[in-house]
Every structure is written in structure tokens, then in C-alpha cells.
Amino acid sequence: MQNTIPSTDTVPLTDTAPSTDFGANDFASVIDVIRDYFDGLHHGDAAKLKAIFHPDAYLKAPGLRRSLDEWLEAVANRPVPVEQGRPYEFRLLSIEVIKDQAMVKLECPLFNHAYLDFLGLLKENGRWLIVNKMYTDLKDEAL
């Protein structure tokens, strides 16, 4: 048996050391998006929410589909939770970042609802944005 060493023309060589953050920067960036999402919901800040969604994002719930613009208009025209004295009880349940995509599971209690959100994010042009939102109201199950 003969040991072989690959030639340098088949093994890419770089002048820089491999990354040692193991995706920590991307993970932190996704968490920043989620923080803005929670803050935007709590403060009824449609502009803050618009900034973290991709323009072609769609929001989907059982029996309901909304474009981003339709949803942002609803946010802008509904009562504002912080002004009603509602608590900030949003919770990040799970987050998975794989390369340039992320899936996030959240508890989003709003008004008299117990929403469970799944947000899909993509990193494009160096920036993480929400490209898809699926949600349901867990409160309906208790009835």
C-alpha cells in the first residue's frame, strides 16, 4: 500500500486561517433580527418590521395568506401592545442556522392570542432577512 499526498493543484490553499467562530456571527445576526421582530410587534412599529423582511415575503396561517404589505398595514392600524400595557412575553424557542439559511420557532403572545411562529430566514448579500412566516394560534386548540 502506498501513501499519497495530494498535489497542491487539487487542494485549495489560502493565506487566511479557517474561521473559528463556527457560525457565531451568523447566529448573533439572526438573533438580532428576532429581537427587532419582537420589538416591532410589541411597539406596533411597521417600519422596523418592514426592514427585517424580504419584500417578497408571504405570511401564512391556516386558512389565511397575506402579503407583507397587507400584514404591515394591519400592524400599523391595530392597537399597540406596549401602549395597552401588555407585557413583553415573546420567547425564542429554537433556532437553527445552516450556512445561509435559518429556521426560528417563536412564542408570540399578542392581545388575546397565543401565536406560535415559524420564521424562515435567508442570508443574501451579507444580510439576514425573513423570507417566510408561518403561524398559528395555540389558543384555538384550548377551546
Side-chain angles (χ1 to χ4, degrees):
M1 181 181 244
Q2 180 180 0
N3 290 337
T4 60
I5 299 173
S7 69
T8 57
D9 60 357
T10 61
V11 177
L13 300 176
T14 62
D15 292 336
T16 59
S19 173
T20 57
D21 78 349
F22 302 104
N25 288 334
D26 284 326
F27 194 83
S29 295
V30 170
I31 288 174
D32 287 344
V33 170
I34 300 310
R35 185 177 298 111
D36 285 348
Y37 179 72
F38 288 161
D39 290 348
L41 290 176
H42 194 62
H43 294 278
D45 190 338
K48 180 173 266 196
L49 292 167
K50 184 175 184 173
I52 59 170
F53 275 82
H54 191 278
D56 69 5
Y58 230 74
L59 295 85
K60 302 168 186 171
L64 179 64
R65 305 292 188 269
R66 288 193 220 180
S67 70
L68 178 61
D69 288 338
E70 290 169 331
W71 179 67
L72 291 172
E73 183 177 332
V75 168
N77 291 304
R78 70 184 181 201
V80 177
V82 71
E83 291 174 3
Q84 293 184 323
R86 303 236 182 211
Y88 191 101
E89 297 179 326
F90 306 103
R91 288 186 45 209
L92 172 61
L93 300 177
S94 67
I95 183 169
E96 188 167 6
V97 178
I98 300 174
K99 197 175 173 185
D100 52 6
Q101 61 183 356
M103 184 58 71
V104 180
K105 181 179 176 184
L106 310 169
E107 274 185 11
C108 296
L110 278 173
F111 309 110
N112 295 321
H113 301 278
Y115 291 117
L116 182 71
D117 293 3
F118 285 94
L119 303 180
L121 294 86
L122 291 176
K123 182 180 181 181
E124 296 177 322
N125 301 316
R127 185 162 181 239
W128 286 96
L129 291 174
I130 300 167
V131 296
N132 188 47
K133 173 181 171 174
M134 292 190 313
Y135 62 102
T136 193
D137 188 353
L138 296 178
K139 190 170 183 180
D140 291 343
E141 290 183 4
L143 300 176

